[in-house]
Amino acid sequence: MQPDDYAVSAEFYDVLQAHQDEIRVHHLYGRDAGRARLGVLDIGAGTGRVTMMSLMESRVGVHAVEPARAMRAPLMTRLASLPTELREWVTVHPQTLEEAALHGVADVAICHNTIACLAPAARQALWPAVARALVPGGSLLLQLPPARLPDKDIMRVFPRQRVGRHEYGGDMLMSADGDRIRTRFDYWVRGSGNALREHIETFWMWPATRAELIGDLEKHGFAPLLRRDDPAVLAMTLSSGNNVLHSRRP
Ligand SMILES: C[S@@+](CC[C@H](N)C(=O)[O-])C[C@H]1O[C@@H](n2cnc3c(N)ncnc32)[C@H](O)[C@@H]1O
């Protein structure tokens, strides 16, 4: 992690992507969050879509782990607007999961749109921290990274959004670069048809197959759960025991 990671994207993340992603995270993980009996862990919480969904769908405490200051700022603003009684149930950990060193705090861990952004060594460092943070019998739901490098460039254009007199837009371009995927985000703001601002932020992504991730996680005590309806998600359970503790909200 670099101290200014997401410094550009954080401003545009919610306005360009939040609405669609909110629907998606409810669809992908809503039922799992609803079944949590101890706690929900949001690994790489970003600006808080999974955190908010977990707070709404579950009756347990939520741990949001987000090391990047730029992403944590909108997350905290979002949480600050919640009623105090609900805010009591969410804890923000301002480090990587490895640094946060959480022990047995959750029976459901969700890692949405995060694994792809971790280099292989960082991914390997994450798994023991996930195993520590979960109780035995707990489940890990993770959004799979791209399985391989793209054969040709892939572009995704974000639908334009109006904010007052200005229009916000952008696109994401993914291209193979050695063994990584260069992911370039271009953002723009226009007013009266004129460009007011343009910004670029580039990230790296590392492909990994479902089989590779299952193999890695098995070394840390996880076993695969049944395949999900949505092939984008891998579901694993932390083996041994069924002694999930209960810690429900009143
Ligand atoms: C692409 S963003 C996705 C954020 C959010 N999950 C979403 O989908 O909107 C990936 C996030 O993972 C966070 N992250 C990176 N490494 C991490 C680690 N080791 N532990 C926890 N979070 C991490 C980054 O700071 C970043 O906010």
Side-chain angles (χ1 to χ4, degrees):
M1 295 290 307
Q2 301 298 316
D4 59 349
D5 274 356
Y6 299 94
V8 171
S9 294
E11 179 186 353
F12 297 95
Y13 209 81
D14 278 5
V15 70
L16 296 181
Q17 299 182 63
H19 181 61
Q20 274 303 102
D21 212 34
E22 193 180 311
I23 297 168
R24 188 160 160 74
V25 301
H26 265 93
H27 165 71
L28 291 179
Y29 318 109
R31 269 195 305 175
D32 305 277
R35 289 197 196 114
R37 296 287 172 271
L38 173 66
V40 181
L41 173 67
D42 179 7
I43 306 167
T47 65
R49 239 128 22 242
V50 169
T51 305
M52 292 297 287
M53 179 280 292
S54 304
L55 272 173
M56 299 308 161
E57 296 294 330
S58 81
R59 304 285 305 153
V60 295
V62 177
H63 292 265
V65 181
E66 180 44 63
R69 186 185 292 272
M71 295 297 247
R72 226 167 40 241
L75 168 67
M76 289 307 298
T77 303
R78 187 163 277 150
L79 298 180
S81 71
L82 293 176
T84 327
E85 315 81 71
L86 191 55
R87 210 194 304 149
E88 266 179 40
W89 289 93
V90 55
T91 306
V92 177
H93 304 273
Q95 307 104 334
T96 62
L97 183 64
E98 306 86 285
E99 290 161 349
L102 301 176
H103 285 261
V105 295
D107 57 335
V108 174
I110 301 171
C111 196
H112 179 70
N113 184 25
T114 292
I115 294 302
C117 308
L118 300 186
R123 231 165 35 215
Q124 298 306 330
L126 185 71
W127 305 141
V130 182
R132 261 196 311 275
L134 277 174
V135 287
S139 45
L140 166 65
L141 296 318
L142 65 81
Q143 189 184 18
L144 289 164
R148 62 190 71 80
L149 295 168
D151 300 330
K152 52 183 172 51
D153 290 359
I154 299 171
M155 181 177 271
R156 178 177 157 212
V157 179
F158 301 119
R160 298 164 180 212
Q161 303 294 335
R162 180 158 282 282
V163 181
R165 296 181 174 190
H166 297 161
E167 198 175 35
Y168 286 67
D171 58 62
M172 179 183 86
L173 179 68
M174 295 167 70
S175 36
D177 187 332
D179 61 350
R180 302 182 291 182
I181 303 169
R182 178 196 290 272
T183 309
R184 193 180 106 162
F185 287 79
D186 281 87
Y187 304 107
W188 52 256
V189 185
R190 292 185 191 140
S192 312
N194 300 318
L196 299 175
R197 295 193 281 139
E198 287 179 352
H199 301 280
I200 295 174
E201 192 168 25
T202 301
F203 299 95
W204 295 101
M205 296 192 343
W206 287 262
T209 62
R210 172 183 287 269
E212 280 171 307
L213 293 177
I214 291 176
D216 286 348
L217 281 160
E218 281 175 341
K219 292 180 198 145
H220 296 279
F222 286 90
L225 285 168
L226 284 181
R227 238 175 209 271
R228 318 260 300 183
D229 293 345
D230 196 312
V233 174
L234 171 64
M236 305 284 288
T237 180
L238 187 61
S239 310
S240 77
N242 50 7
N243 55 337
V244 173
L245 304 172
H246 290 236
S247 178
R248 309 266 289 176
R249 286 186 226 157

